[in-house]
Amino acid sequence: QGTIVKDVTLKEDAPKNFLMSKHIEYIANYGANKEDYEYCMTEYLRLSGIYWGLTAVDLMHCRDRMNENEIVEFVVSCQKDCGGFGPAPDHDPSILYTLSAIQVLCMLDKVEKIDVEKAVDFIGGLQNEDGSFSGDEWGEVDTRFSFCAVTALSLVGRLWENCPINVAKTVEFILSCMNFDGGFGCRPGSESHSGQIYCCVGALSVLGELHHVDDDLLGWWLCERQLPSGGLNGRPEKMPDVCYSWWLSSLAMLGKLHWIDGSKLKQFILASQDDEIGGIADRPGDMVDPFHTLFGIAGLSLLGETCLKPINPVYCMPQDVLDRIGVKAQILP
Amino acid sequence: MHGRLKVKTTAEQAEEKRKHREKKLKLFQGAKAAAFKKITAKEYDREGLHITQEILTANSDYYTIWNYRKNTFLHYKSTKSTEELLESFQAELSFIQNCLKNNPKSYSCWNHRCFVLLTMPEPDWKKELQLCNLFLQYDERNFHCWDYRRFVVQHSAVLPGDEINFTHKLIENNFSNYSSWHHRSKLLPIQCPDLNDPNRIGEKMLLEELELVQNAFFTDPNDQSAWFYHRWLLGRGETKQSITCLHVSKPDSRLTCTLRKRVSLAQCSSMKVYVNGQQQNVTWTGVDDQKYQHACIASLLKSNSLWDTTRCQLSLHPR
C-alpha cells in the first residue's frame, strides 16, 4: 500500500511577515503570572525555559526586556553542592540544566557568579569509561549529554586547558552512534534523528573533529528532511515541526545550508507564528511555547533574517556572545 | 509542546477551562509540596510513593520525582522481604506502563523502567519484549520504545535472528517503517556478516535483502525509507579514502594532492611519495590552519629532484 505524505498545507491567510514586536511581548510576559497552569507544569525544565526566552529576545535585540538580576539570582539558586544545576532550586541536578545555566550566564556576562570549578567537576564526573556521558547520577546515557558536556566546558574555557574529560574517548563514543545513513542516534544502535545529529555533529564541531562525518551522505539525509510545505521533519516519513528548522543547523556546520530551500522554510516558520498573542508553534495553527519560539527565530536567523542578530549554529547563542568570550567551533567550508 | 491545536473558544468555555485547570493545579501544587518535603527529609515510604504517583500521573516528565521513587526502591531493597519487594516492583511496572500510555515519548519514564528492570529481583524480560511489541503497535516509529527494546534484547537471550524476523513482520505490514530498516542495518551484519568487512552483509543475504527493498520501492516509490536503505545495501553508504587529484610542480619541488576524505597532517605522513620508483623523504603541510584538510602539500627535502622526473607516484597507506 502507498503511504500518505505526512505534511501540512499552509493556509492563504497564514502570517507572512515576521511579527517581532509580538514575539518580544510574548517572551517578556511569559512567566509574569507565576500561578499560570502551563508555567507551573513546566517547572521541571525552568532553567532551559529561561535560556530559550533569553536567547530569543537577545536575537531580537531586546535583552533589556528581561529582568537580568532576577535571572542571575535564580540561576545561582539552582546550583547544587555537587556543582551541577537543577531546573529549579528543589530539583535534582542534571547536565542538561548545567549547560542551560552556563549558556544563560555567558549571555549575561555573569559566569563568575557561580562556582565554575564545581560545575566543571560535576561535568567531568559524569563521563563513563567508554567515553559516553551520563545525564546525572542515575546513569542514563545519551549523546545529548556528550554535547552538553563538550559545549559547557568550552564556554567556561575548560575544554582545552585543565580539561576534566577524555576528549579522544568522547569522540570515539559519539562515532560509535553513527548509522548506515550517516546520521547519529542516542546510543550505539539507536536510529538517526535530526535533533540527535545536531548534538553529535555539534560536539564534533566544538572538538574540531568534523572530518569523521561523511558530510555528503549525511547532507543528503538532512536535506531530504524538507517537505513540500517547506517545513522540516526530524526523521523520514514524519510530520514537519518548527524546532527541526533549528536542528538542521548541522547542515550549516557541514557547509551545506544551501542544500535546502531557505525561502520555503522561512515561509513555513512564519506561518507557524501566532498573530494574536505572538510566539511560534510547532506547526501552523498549533499552540505556541517558548521552545518553538526560540527555535523558529533561531532558524530565521540562520537563514539570514536581517532584523535578527546572527546566531552561532553550534551553540544556539548570538554570535556576538561567543565572539566576546572567544569561543570558536569548526564549520566546514 | 507538540501537536496541540489552538482552538477558538467562547468566553464561557474559556472560563470553564480556567476553573478546571485552577482546581487541577491546586491539587498538583499540594502534592508537589508534600513530595518535596519527603525528598528533603529523605523519607522513603509508601506514603511518598502515593503522593509522587499523583504528580507523575499529571506530568511524567518530572524526573526529580522519579528519582525519589528510585531512592525509595533502593531503600526497600535493604529493608523489605523478597516477597514484599517483588510486589512493590510489580506495582511500579504497571504504574509506569500507565504513564507511558499517556506519554509514550517521556525520556524519564522509559529510563525509570530500565532502572526498575535492573534493580528488581527476577526481572521478566519476555514480558518486557511483549510490552515493546505493544507500544510499537501503537506507534511503530517511537524511538524511545525501539531503544528500550534494544535494552531488553541486550539483557535477555533474544537472538539476532528473532529480531530480524520481527522487523520483517513490521516491514511486510508497512514498507514505510524506517525504524525497522534501521534495526535491520544493525542486525544483519551480525547475523550474516561479510567476511571482508564486519559492517556489511554477506553476499547471499545481500541479494535477498535487495529483493525485499526493491519490492518496497516498487510498491511505493515516494517513500524515502527504502531508498536510503537501498543506497546502503549497494555499498555506497560509506565514502572510502582516495586521491582525487595530484599536481606536480617541478620548479617548487612539491606535490599538491587532494583527497576524498579529510586527513590530519599526522595521517599524511603515512602516504608515500615515489619519484622514478624511489621513495622520497617529504614534509607535509596543509593549505590552511584547519586540523583536518582535503588538500595537502608535500615538499621534497632534496631540491630540484623533480627536474628529471619521468614518473611520480603517491600511494595511500590507510591505517
Side-chain angles (χ1 to χ4, degrees), chain B residues 33-68:
Chain B
F36 275 111
K37 224 167 149 186
K38 289 270 177 197
I39 292 173
T40 319
K42 296 196 165 118
E43 275 173 33
Y44 303 122
D45 53 23
R46 209 185 163 92
E47 192 193 9
L49 286 184
H50 184 74
I51 299 166
T52 51
Q53 196 155 331
E54 273 180 54
I55 300 172
L56 293 166
T57 304
N59 187 347
S60 52
D61 286 323
Y62 242 88
Y63 73 94
T64 302
I65 302 295
W66 285 117
N67 290 349
Y68 168 79

Side-chain angles (χ1 to χ4, degrees), chain A:
Chain A
Q1 72 278 24
T3 28
I4 306 146
V5 176
K6 297 188 175 104
D7 198 7
V8 295
T9 319
L10 304 190
K11 286 192 180 133
E12 265 307 305
D13 60 350
K16 292 181 184 62
N17 298 312
F18 183 52
L19 310 171
M20 185 144 96
S21 56
K22 283 219 154 91
H23 300 320
I24 294 167
E25 290 312 313
Y26 170 71
I27 294 288
N29 294 322
Y30 189 83
N33 175 9
K34 302 270 187 283
E35 301 299 311
D36 177 67
Y37 181 80
E38 292 293 347
Y39 185 81
C40 292
M41 292 308 262
T42 51
E43 187 186 66
Y44 72 93
L45 49 73
R46 183 74 65 242
L47 203 41
S48 292
I50 291 175
Y51 155 74
W52 301 328
L54 184 69
T55 310
V57 290
D58 197 1
L59 289 171
M60 295 186 287
H61 304 275
C62 272
R63 216 181 65 199
D64 55 350
R65 286 296 304 275
M66 304 296 265
N67 186 334
E68 294 191 7
N69 290 333
E70 194 185 67
I71 291 177
V72 173
E73 211 174 285
F74 180 79
V75 173
V76 170
S77 74
C78 293
Q79 190 167 27
K80 301 278 167 177
D81 291 339
C82 64
F85 287 76
D90 287 334
H91 295 237
D92 288 349
S94 151
I95 200 166
L96 292 172
Y97 307 106
T98 305
L99 171 63
S100 293
I102 290 173
Q103 285 176 307
V104 167
L105 295 182
C106 280
M107 279 189 271
L108 299 177
D109 201 10
K110 288 277 179 346
V111 178
E112 78 281 358
K113 294 281 183 192
I114 55 160
D115 192 333
V116 172
E117 202 55 43
K118 273 181 133 183
V120 168
D121 284 349
F122 173 75
I123 296 168
L126 291 173
Q127 188 168 35
N128 303 305
E129 197 101 319
D130 62 359
S132 67
F133 283 84
S134 299
D136 59 22
E137 60 166 327
W138 294 101
E140 179 186 8
V141 166
D142 193 311
T143 43
R144 285 180 301 151
F145 307 143
S146 304
F147 173 81
C148 292
V150 167
T151 43
L153 290 175
S154 70
L155 285 172
V156 293
R158 292 293 294 275
L159 190 57
W160 306 112
E161 281 166 48
N162 274 325
C163 178
I165 62 167
N166 182 332
V167 169
K169 282 262 173 197
T170 305
V171 174
E172 202 180 296
F173 179 76
I174 293 173
L175 295 178
S176 73
C177 299
M178 199 193 272
N179 291 321
F180 79 95
D181 47 26
F184 296 85
C186 304
R187 287 177 284 280
S190 304
E191 184 182 343
S192 299
H193 177 289
S194 58
Q196 223 73 38
I197 292 170
Y198 162 77
C199 291
C200 293
V201 174
L204 293 175
S205 157
V206 171
L207 294 168
E209 301 276 342
L210 278 183
H211 65 288
H212 291 295
V213 176
D214 192 332
D215 53 343
D216 282 343
L217 180 65
L218 179 56
W220 174 48
W221 191 90
L222 283 169
C223 72
E224 290 286 353
R225 296 305 103 243
Q226 190 162 36
L227 294 160
S229 66
L232 305 173
N233 60 17
R235 292 186 285 157
E237 312 306 330
K238 299 285 278 179
M239 287 289 278
D241 184 318
V242 160
C243 63
Y244 296 120
S245 325
W246 175 251
W247 305 133
L248 109 138
S249 58
S250 29
L251 265 185
M253 298 177 215
L254 301 177
K256 298 187 193 310
L257 196 55
H258 58 287
W259 282 23
I260 58 145
D261 186 335
S263 63
K264 284 203 82 172
L265 174 58
K266 188 176 165 180
Q267 267 175 29
F268 178 83
I269 299 173
L270 293 178
S272 304
Q273 299 176 108
D274 187 321
D275 52 10
E276 288 166 7
I277 61 164
I280 303 176
D282 59 347
R283 56 185 77 105
D286 279 0
M287 308 259 285
V288 299
D289 60 73
F291 175 83
H292 288 95
T293 304
L294 167 64
F295 291 121
I297 291 173
L300 291 174
S301 168
L302 200 65
L303 293 171
E305 178 66 55
T306 48
C307 64
L308 296 167
K309 278 192 186 180
I311 193 159
N312 180 285
V314 181
Y315 289 87
C316 194
M317 289 160 70
Q319 184 57 43
D320 62 353
V321 174
L322 298 162
D323 291 343
R324 170 165 51 73
I325 47 181
V327 169
K328 273 202 187 100
Q330 186 189 9
I331 305 290
L332 294 184

Side-chain angles (χ1 to χ4, degrees), chain B residues 49-271:
Chain B
L49 286 184
H50 184 74
I51 299 166
T52 51
Q53 196 155 331
E54 273 180 54
I55 300 172
L56 293 166
T57 304
N59 187 347
S60 52
D61 286 323
Y62 242 88
Y63 73 94
T64 302
I65 302 295
W66 285 117
N67 290 349
Y68 168 79
R69 295 177 81 86
K70 290 187 179 73
N71 276 319
T72 306
F73 280 99
L74 290 180
H75 176 70
Y76 277 11
K77 262 195 114 168
S78 55
T79 51
K80 299 232 175 219
S81 71
T82 314
E83 213 165 82
E84 285 175 301
L85 205 57
L86 258 177
E87 200 181 310
S88 315
F89 274 117
Q90 288 304 346
E92 188 70 352
L93 285 176
S94 29
F95 172 57
I96 300 171
Q97 189 165 342
N98 281 336
C99 292
L100 284 173
K101 267 185 199 152
N102 293 330
N103 190 359
K105 294 181 179 177
S106 166
Y107 281 99
S108 39
C109 222
W110 286 106
N111 176 252
H112 187 65
R113 198 164 184 98
C114 294
F115 166 84
V116 169
L117 265 290
L118 292 177
T119 315
M120 73 185 290
E122 306 162 33
D124 186 347
W125 294 106
K126 268 201 181 121
K127 226 172 150 186
E128 292 309 298
L129 205 61
Q130 284 162 8
L131 175 106
C132 294
N133 292 344
L134 182 71
F135 274 84
L136 289 177
Q137 256 176 41
Y138 299 148
D139 176 5
E140 58 189 13
R141 299 292 307 281
N142 182 344
F143 72 84
H144 301 272
C145 184
W146 277 104
D147 279 344
Y148 184 68
R149 185 181 186 96
R150 278 181 278 268
F151 162 82
V152 172
V153 166
Q154 197 191 339
H155 283 90
S156 51
V158 180
L159 298 168
D162 292 342
E163 278 299 277
I164 292 171
N165 290 340
F166 173 72
T167 58
H168 205 110
K169 266 199 283 182
L170 291 188
I171 289 170
E172 275 185 337
N173 185 39
N174 178 8
F175 278 129
S176 173
N177 188 332
Y178 195 76
S179 307
S180 283
W181 294 110
H182 162 82
H183 201 42
R184 285 176 90 76
S185 81
K186 296 288 175 190
L187 296 164
L188 289 172
I190 299 171
Q191 182 78 346
C192 321
D194 176 351
L195 298 175
N196 301 317
D197 185 344
N199 293 318
R200 299 203 57 81
I201 311 170
E203 183 78 6
K204 186 175 167 284
M205 191 66 213
L206 190 63
L207 292 173
E208 286 177 33
E209 208 57 7
L210 267 174
E211 189 164 323
L212 179 69
V213 80
Q214 280 171 5
N215 282 338
F217 57 66
F218 278 130
T219 309
D220 184 2
N222 290 322
D223 189 87
Q224 292 187 354
S225 313
W227 290 110
F228 283 112
Y229 192 68
H230 185 244
R231 180 179 160 131
W232 177 67
L233 286 180
L234 292 181
R236 280 186 282 164
E238 194 195 350
T239 308
K240 294 242 156 67
Q241 183 61 288
S242 62
I243 299 164
T244 51
C245 180
L246 175 64
H247 176 261
V248 180
S249 169
K250 285 190 176 184
D252 303 324
S253 286
R254 66 182 201 187
L255 317 172
T256 306
C257 74
T258 57
L259 298 156
R260 180 65 195 83
K261 286 172 78 169
R262 289 179 178 82
V263 288
S264 69
L265 289 181
Q267 289 167 325
C268 281
S269 59
S270 68
M271 289 195 289

